[in-house]
């Protein structure tokens, strides 16, 4: 689920508490978090709604001036169902602080090393190659990096997200860069030749 910057700011202020989307099936689940540029948006209730029952209050809660402004943004589609998604606010994304934590404790190191061993079970050194490639090529498009590694772009992006979960990489407008933690982890991985 993509949210515009203005919508994210409205959620942060508490002005926007709802969104409406037409989906074949929901792309978010109640009780989960949606990582965004401003933090983790907490997803409340996700429920099917009949467009005919939408109110002016629903429109305002979704960041629109009135129902007339909301309705054109509701994508059409006979095979799609309209959902009302409520937001329970925004919380800090713990990966942001993690990125800056370049001093890896023994526990941090062992957890990372175990993940790399598990992830690299089919292609030894693959994730180290991703870290190395991003470190040498910051701000290079994912498609270019994926091609250099000989993998599909979608797979490459999924694998970079794994690294991002540990605070090792940062997404940029174009491409990625290593975080301070990622740089420290890469050095440690080189030392241990994992």
């Amino acid at each position: 689920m993509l949210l515009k910057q203005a919508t994210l700011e409205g959620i942060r202020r508490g002005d926007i508490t709802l969104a409406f989307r037409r989906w074949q099936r929901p792309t978010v689940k109640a009780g989960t978090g949606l990582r965004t540029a401003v933090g983790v948006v907490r997803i409340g209730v996700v429920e099917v709604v009949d467009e005919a029952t939408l109110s002016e209050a629903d429109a305002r809660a979704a960041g629109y001036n009135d129902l007339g402004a909301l309705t054109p943004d509701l994508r059409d589609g006979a095979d799609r169902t309209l959902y009302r998604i409520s937001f329970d606010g925004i919380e800090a994304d713990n990966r942001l602080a993690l990125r800056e934590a370049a001093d890896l404790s023994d526990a941090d190191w062992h957890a990372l090393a175990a993940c790399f061993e598990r992830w690299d079970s089919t292609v030894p050194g693959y994730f180290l190659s991703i870290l190395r490639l991003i470190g040498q090529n910051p701000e290079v498009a994912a498609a270019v990096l994926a091609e250099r590694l000989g993998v599909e772009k979608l797979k490459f992006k999924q694998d970079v997200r794994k690294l991002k979960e540990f605070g090792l990489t940062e997404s940029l407008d174009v491409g990625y860069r290593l975080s301070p933690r990622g740089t420290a982890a890469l050095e440690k991985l080189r030392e241990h030749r994992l």
Side-chain angles (χ1 to χ4, degrees), residues 25-190:
R25 59 182 169 76
T27 63
V28 294
K29 292 182 181 178
T32 62
L34 180 66
R35 287 204 171 101
T36 71
V38 299
V40 179
V41 175
R42 300 299 311 159
I43 304 297
V45 177
V46 178
E47 60 189 347
V48 174
V49 64
D50 182 346
E51 186 175 339
T53 66
L54 297 181
S55 67
E56 294 291 331
D58 288 330
R60 285 190 296 279
Y64 293 86
N65 291 331
D66 55 35
L67 196 52
L70 168 64
T71 304
D73 277 358
L74 300 175
R75 192 166 65 177
D76 243 353
D79 61 338
R80 298 181 187 276
T81 303
L82 182 61
Y83 291 87
R84 173 189 284 123
I85 304 98
S86 68
F87 302 123
D88 291 336
I90 296 180
E91 59 189 38
D93 185 342
N94 64 356
R95 295 175 307 171
L96 301 180
L98 194 57
R99 288 178 196 161
E100 300 304 317
D103 291 330
L104 296 171
S105 70
D106 285 343
D108 292 337
W109 166 245
H110 290 300
L112 278 174
C115 282
F116 275 88
E117 283 184 40
R118 188 174 65 252
W119 293 342
D120 286 346
S121 63
T122 54
V123 181
Y126 172 67
F127 280 87
L128 176 58
S129 297
I130 293 174
L131 279 179
R132 213 181 275 131
L133 190 62
I134 291 172
Q136 295 166 352
N137 301 278
E139 299 182 69
V140 172
V144 173
L145 297 176
E147 185 177 331
R148 289 183 188 168
L149 279 179
V151 298
E152 294 290 323
K153 181 175 102 170
L154 182 59
K155 178 182 176 9
F156 178 80
K157 291 177 90 167
Q158 289 170 336
D159 293 336
V160 171
R161 276 197 285 282
K162 288 181 181 179
L163 298 172
K164 196 174 182 181
E165 287 300 312
F166 283 89
L168 303 178
T169 62
E170 299 177 50
S171 293
L172 306 171
D173 288 338
V174 174
Y176 312 93
R177 71 173 163 223
L178 294 182
S179 67
R181 185 180 185 84
T183 301
L186 181 58
E187 284 305 312
K188 208 135 171 101
L189 287 164
R190 283 182 183 142

